[in-house]
Each structure stands twice: as C-alpha cells, then as structure tokens.
Amino acid sequence: MNEVFENNTALGTINSFVSKNRKFLLITLVTILLIVLVFISINFLKNVNNEKAGIIYSDFISQDISSEEGRLISDKLLTELLNSYKKTGYTKIAVINKASFYAQDNQIDEAIKYFEILRDLTSGLSGDKLLNKIANVNLARIYYSIKDYEKALEMLKKYDSSSSGMVYEITGDILSKQDKPDLAKAQYLLAKDLYTDEVSIDIVSMKIANL
C-alpha cells in the first residue's frame, strides 16, 4: 500500500513538473531535434560533396599534363574543385599534385602559388595539421633553393618545438647558408637525435663535420 502511494506521489510530482515547464520542455525538445537535423544534413551534404569531388579528382589525375590540352583540362578541373569543393580531401590532394608538378618542373612561382593555396586551405583550428606542415616545409625548401633564406626560415618558425628531424635539418641547412655555424650545428644535432634511420643520421653527421 505504501509502495503504491509512493509511486502515485512520484508520478504526481513528475506530472506537476511537466505541467509547469511544458513550454520550456517543448522548446528544448524542438531545439534538440533541430540540432540533430542540422547535423544529419551537414553530414549528408559532406558525403554528397565528397562524391562529386571524387569524380572530378578522378578526371583530374587522368589527364596527360605533358600535353597542352591535358594541362588546360587539369587546370580547369582544379579550379572547379577549389571553387566548389575546397574543403574536401580530394581538393587538397589535387593541389599537392599540382604544386609538386610545378616544383619538379622548376616552375618556382607556380609551385609557390599552389603550396600557398594548400597552406591556406589547411590552416586554422579545424585545419589539417599534417598537410599544412607539408605545405610549409615544401615552401621552405623552395625558398631555400632560390636563396631566400629569411622566407625559408619564416615557413618553419611555427615548428620551433617540432618532433620532426627533417624540419631541424632544413633549418640547419638554412642557417649554414647564412654563415651561422653554431646555430646550424644545434639544429643538426636535434635532427640527428630524432632520426632513426642510419642514412639520415650519416647525412646530418657529414653536414656537421663540414660546418
């Protein structure tokens, strides 16, 4: 009997709370439903965009860029990716491909242009740290190759506490060219400590010996 009474009391309390806060509870429920709906819509749109970007990317990588026609079509497809699907992974990989092609072809200005596009696409709190690092490291390499050492160092500045031996080695190369052997040696030693393969360790050791 007491148990029935307690259950009725609890039910009455709940009904009273719901009755008094009906408007608030309704607004909360609608808000939650809207958030879920928006989340589902965003994910659906992302999936659709990824599929469309994937089709364009497939066309992009199938072009023969050794021909004038292939380059023109390739440029057109990349422009479409950048204009309509710039947040997708396909676009970022396409930009890497384009930048790397120009770098290998010694078209420095174009290589810089596309690595800067990649850097901008992958920067920020929600950006891709790995691809952003790839962009900055390659920009540093390019500026180093054209003897713009200050800009090369600027590209690597954000990686002062990097866990990458490669970043320290490149920084050492730049400082060596700036006639700063002590600073260069410090960077090389950091690189040497982080490298695990014998080839890289030997190369850095030779660079230290040649300072």
Side-chain angles (χ1 to χ4, degrees):
M1 187 72 176
N2 287 337
E3 186 178 344
V4 173
F5 177 76
E6 288 173 359
N7 287 339
N8 288 337
T9 303
L11 186 61
T13 303
I14 293 171
N15 287 335
S16 176
F17 174 81
V18 171
S19 178
K20 290 179 181 179
N21 298 277
R22 181 171 295 167
K23 187 175 180 180
F24 170 75
L25 292 171
L26 184 61
I27 292 172
T28 302
L29 180 61
V30 170
T31 302
I32 292 171
L33 289 173
L34 284 173
I35 290 171
V36 171
L37 183 61
V38 168
F39 179 78
I40 292 171
S41 299
I42 289 172
N43 279 313
F44 175 76
L45 184 60
K46 281 183 178 179
N47 289 333
V48 170
N49 283 343
N50 271 329
E51 287 180 10
K52 290 180 178 179
I55 294 170
I56 297 170
Y57 178 76
S58 294
D59 287 342
F60 170 81
I61 60 173
S62 68
Q63 300 305 315
D64 178 13
I65 55 177
S66 64
S67 68
E68 182 66 23
E69 182 183 2
R71 281 196 296 273
L72 289 173
I73 295 174
S74 173
D75 288 343
K76 182 180 178 181
L77 291 169
L78 182 54
T79 298
E80 186 177 356
L81 284 170
L82 286 168
N83 287 341
S84 303
Y85 309 104
K86 66 180 181 179
K87 291 185 178 181
T88 66
Y90 289 109
T91 300
K92 293 162 189 173
I93 299 301
V95 173
I96 290 177
N97 287 345
K98 182 66 77 173
S100 299
F101 166 77
Y102 282 127
Q104 291 170 7
D105 201 42
N106 207 33
Q107 298 187 49
I108 301 302
D109 290 340
E110 289 298 305
I112 289 173
K113 170 186 170 182
Y114 282 101
F115 276 123
E116 285 181 342
I117 289 173
L118 178 64
R119 181 191 61 194
D120 294 342
L121 285 176
T122 57
S123 62
L125 293 175
S126 60
D128 188 314
K129 290 183 179 179
L130 176 60
L131 293 183
N132 190 257
K133 187 174 185 177
I134 288 172
N136 282 313
V137 168
N138 277 284
L139 283 167
R141 287 185 182 278
I142 292 171
Y143 285 125
Y144 173 81
S145 71
I146 59 176
K147 300 181 180 181
D148 192 341
Y149 302 127
E150 288 302 325
K151 274 194 175 181
L153 282 176
E154 186 181 334
M155 296 301 104
L156 301 175
K157 193 179 294 181
K158 65 187 293 185
Y159 307 113
D160 284 346
S161 57
S162 174
S163 59
S164 167
M166 180 181 60
V167 171
Y168 287 124
E169 183 181 355
I170 297 170
T171 304
D173 292 343
I174 297 166
L175 292 168
S176 177
K177 290 294 184 181
Q178 290 182 319
D179 294 322
K180 299 175 181 177
D182 291 338
L183 294 177
K185 183 178 180 179
Q187 295 296 310
Y188 286 144
L189 289 172
L190 288 170
K192 189 176 178 180
D193 288 341
L194 289 170
Y195 280 139
T196 55
D197 62 291
E198 290 300 322
V199 174
S200 296
I201 292 171
D202 288 344
I203 290 172
V204 172
S205 296
M206 285 190 289
K207 289 180 177 181
I208 292 172
N210 290 331
L211 286 173

